[in-house]
Amino acid sequence: MSKIKPSQGAPYARIMGVGGYRPTRIVPNEVILETIDSSDEWIRSRSGIATRHWASPEETVSAMSVEAAGKAIADSGISPQQIGGVIVSTVSHFKQTPAIATEIADKIGAIKPAAFDISAGCAGFGYGLTLAKGMVVEGSAEYVLVIGVERLSDLTDLEDRATAFLFGDGAGAVVVGPAKEPQIGPTVWGSEGDKSDTIKQTVPWDDYREGKVEKFPAITQEGQAVFRWAVFEMAKVAQQALDAAGISADDLDVFIPHQANMRIIDSMVKTLKLPEHVTVARDVETTGNTSAASIPLAMERLLATGQAKSGDTALVIGFGAGLVYAATVVTLP
């Protein structure tokens, strides 16, 4: 018989607060057209994107995260000193070590929390949310800060017609804490590594360091393959998340998919047969694809504008490079 004492965590976990930060510079499609042969109409029809935010040198991964985190903590009603874990999902923090989460934890005033980064691309927020839920329920932290943050403008090839218009910068954060009833459902997550080449960095860092290539590494993708996978496979994952939570599409109030592409979002809505009363996040139009930041940023905007309200039941799903995915049903804070 084991002598290990059982964990003393909360029975359930919930999202208590949400915050976001968008860089001050707004970049319209006209700026993108200076370096690629395309048109505003083509970009809008292919992606639904009209503008995106690009960070200034001062709007670092850390600085944007601290701003978003501060708003989420204030929204949750707790103090920074109560944060017992900081999880940061990003692919655009360029220091291999230490984890940017440790710097952010210190800057927000958390006291010796567990702090680590994860790399799960556009599904990173869902991965972080699931880990935070586990920490709260297991009892290793009472409150956990989850941040999705990207400066994808640093990894964008402005001469690549397939991707130059897609990416934006920003940070979104939530605080996860204890709950007396289920408010974060079971996560349906996974990976399909056989498709890893469909979204990837163009070359490894050491190829650039050693002078094998002159152009700085960027993100590239096979657009049609990614579109087909997202539309057909991710709708199935979204349905599995609904089933795991024990609800149907009729029970939903809000749908917050990864803000990758308006056509993907609209196709998923159609495939899932979401009722007209369900509010659908379409933040991609003005924010672009911010990878791990896209879901919390979209969530924050829906709540701030009154399109969604506290207590609403929302389906969230992220998917991207890996290929990886994560979907769950949550109660909005």
Side-chain angles (χ1 to χ4, degrees), residues 82-134:
Q82 292 175 277
I83 298 291
V86 177
I87 303 171
V88 177
S89 178
T90 185
V91 299
S92 46
H93 169 51
F94 287 166
K95 286 185 179 179
Q96 197 71 36
T97 193
I100 193 66
T102 58
E103 177 183 326
I104 294 166
D106 178 63
K107 287 183 175 180
I108 65 172
I111 301 174
K112 298 183 179 180
F116 57 95
D117 298 350
I118 58 175
S119 176
C122 304
F125 175 75
Y127 274 55
L129 184 64
T130 303
L131 293 172
K133 172 188 173 182

Side-chain angles (χ1 to χ4, degrees), residues 220-238:
T220 186
Q221 69 175 29
E222 298 175 15
Q224 287 302 314
V226 173
F227 180 86
R228 288 192 299 270
W229 176 77
V231 168
F232 296 109
E233 298 303 321
M234 292 305 97
K236 297 176 186 176
V237 171

Side-chain angles (χ1 to χ4, degrees), residues 34-35 44 54 84 103 124 153 204 207 209 216 262 270 288 320 323:
E34 294 174 3
T35 51
R44 289 174 185 258
W54 283 356
E103 177 183 326
S153 58
D207 279 6
R209 180 190 63 193
F216 192 75
M262 195 75 78
K270 183 177 180 180
L323 295 171

Side-chain angles (χ1 to χ4, degrees), residues 235 238-239 242 247-257 264-282 313-317 329:
Q239 183 59 56
L242 290 175
I247 67 172
S248 70
D250 291 336
D251 298 314
L252 279 180
D253 300 302
V254 184
F255 179 45
I256 311 177
I264 291 174
I265 294 170
D266 290 340
S267 295
M268 291 183 71
V269 168
K270 183 177 180 180
T271 302
L272 288 167
K273 299 179 181 178
L274 296 185
E276 290 187 6
H277 75 262
V278 176
T279 297
V280 179
R282 292 188 170 88
T313 299
L315 169 63
V316 299
I317 178 170
V329 175

Side-chain angles (χ1 to χ4, degrees), residues 7-88:
S7 300
Q8 300 293 317
Y12 305 104
R14 65 187 174 112
I15 298 176
M16 300 176 59
V18 60
Y21 180 82
R22 292 172 171 81
T24 55
R25 182 188 177 193
I26 299 173
V27 180
N29 288 338
E30 286 72 19
V31 172
I32 307 299
L33 297 175
E34 294 174 3
T35 51
I36 60 170
D37 180 16
S38 187
S39 68
D40 178 64
E41 181 183 4
W42 186 88
I43 293 174
R44 289 174 185 258
S45 66
R46 298 288 290 183
S47 68
I49 298 172
T51 61
R52 73 285 292 147
H53 295 254
W54 283 356
S56 68
E58 293 75 26
E59 292 169 315
T60 62
V61 167
S62 175
M64 293 190 294
S65 297
V66 169
E67 289 291 330
K71 294 176 183 178
I73 294 169
D75 191 43
S76 71
I78 67 169
S79 70
Q81 292 77 23
Q82 292 175 277
I83 298 291
V86 177
I87 303 171
V88 177

